[in-house]
């Protein structure tokens, strides 16, 4: 019943989670080609697989946030809310994915996670009167991650052109990306 402390725990939990998930998604998108090239080096499918990983990488944020908010709702005693929200999202996901696949060449791989995030946030707001602070939680980590993605992409492809190797430039780029991201966040 301590709403102020509950809101602060929710706020800090979501903020820390976004500090990790947003750059992870951006990094996966930028480095999709070398990641897929190392794991599945088949020439016939590498382009398609790279595009699927790059386009599907926002799912990391949506599924991570939906998992976190499921846990928060259960922790505050709303055990049925995550199940109900997941069921609603699943129905809409099936409808939207069917429509996308039938009428367009697109799929809807991130739609379910996005819907669960939205419905869980709505349930949290209803139960605790909690409102997420957008700028510090989503916008600043996204801007830092975009800058990190530009640096990581330039670093990886520059090192790849020089060495014609995949693994070492990938590792160096990830390390530089971590340093750049946290430097920008701290700044």
């Amino acid at each position: 019943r301590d709403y102020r402390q509950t809101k602060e725990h929710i706020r800090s939990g979501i903020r820390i989670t976004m500090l990790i998930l947003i750059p992870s998604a951006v990094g996966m998108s930028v480095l999709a080609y070398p990641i897929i090239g190392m794991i599945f080096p088949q020439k016939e499918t590498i382009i398609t697989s790279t595009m699927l990983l790059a386009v599907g990488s926002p799912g990391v944020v949506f599924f991570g946030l939906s998992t976190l908010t499921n846990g928060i709702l259960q922790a505050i005693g709303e055990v049925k809310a995550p199940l109900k929200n997941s069921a609603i999202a699943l129905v809409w996901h099936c409808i939207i994915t069917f429509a996308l696949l039938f009428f367009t060449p697109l799929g809807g791989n991130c739609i379910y996670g996005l819907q669960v995030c939205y419905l869980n946030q709505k349930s949290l707001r209803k139960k605790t009167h909690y409102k997420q602070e957008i700028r510090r939680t989503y916008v600043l980590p996204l801007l830092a991650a975009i800058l990190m993605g530009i640096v990581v992409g330039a670093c990886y492809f520059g090192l790849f052109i020089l060495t014609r190797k995949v693994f070492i430039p990938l590792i160096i780029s990830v390390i530089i990306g971590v340093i750049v991201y946290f430097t920008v966040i701290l700044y």
Side-chain angles (χ1 to χ4, degrees):
R1 296 274 179 216
D2 185 357
Y3 288 115
R4 198 179 83 196
Q5 187 177 12
T6 301
K7 287 180 193 178
E8 187 52 41
H9 285 306
I10 293 169
R11 183 176 293 110
S12 65
I14 291 176
R15 187 173 292 148
I16 290 168
T17 303
M18 291 299 101
L19 281 173
I20 296 168
L21 293 179
I22 291 173
S24 299
V26 170
M28 271 182 30
S29 183
V30 170
L31 297 172
Y33 187 77
I35 291 169
I36 292 295
M38 282 180 44
I39 299 171
F40 306 108
Q42 295 87 5
K43 290 182 181 182
E44 307 82 42
T45 60
I46 194 164
I47 299 298
T48 304
S49 300
T50 298
M51 289 302 291
L52 288 172
L53 181 60
V55 171
S57 65
V60 169
V61 176
F62 301 141
F63 286 109
L65 184 57
S66 66
T67 302
L68 176 66
T69 53
N70 281 342
I72 292 170
L73 285 167
Q74 290 175 4
I76 63 172
E78 292 293 310
V79 180
K80 292 182 183 177
L83 183 60
K84 183 183 89 172
N85 293 341
S86 295
I88 292 168
L90 181 61
V91 169
W92 279 107
H93 175 70
C94 291
I95 293 168
I96 292 168
T97 301
F98 176 76
L100 284 173
L101 290 173
F102 191 73
F103 296 112
T104 70
L106 304 172
N109 60 346
C110 296
I111 292 172
Y112 174 77
L114 178 61
Q115 290 172 329
V116 172
C117 286
Y118 171 75
L119 293 171
N120 284 349
Q121 290 281 4
K122 193 174 170 183
S123 295
L124 278 173
R125 193 170 30 251
K126 181 180 174 185
K127 179 68 178 171
T128 65
H129 307 290
Y130 168 75
K131 187 173 181 204
Q132 186 65 47
E133 198 274 318
I134 303 296
R135 185 175 165 269
R136 287 185 65 198
T137 304
Y138 302 109
V139 175
L140 294 179
L142 181 60
L143 292 174
I146 289 171
L147 179 61
M148 175 209 70
I150 292 168
V151 171
V152 164
C155 178
Y156 172 77
F157 290 106
L159 288 172
F160 178 77
I161 289 170
L162 289 174
T163 64
R164 292 292 178 204
K165 304 279 185 206
V166 176
F167 185 71
I168 300 296
L170 181 62
I171 297 301
I172 292 171
S173 299
V174 169
I175 292 169
I176 289 173
V178 169
I179 293 168
V180 167
Y181 178 73
F182 284 109
T183 302
V184 171
I185 286 293
L186 291 175
Y187 178 72

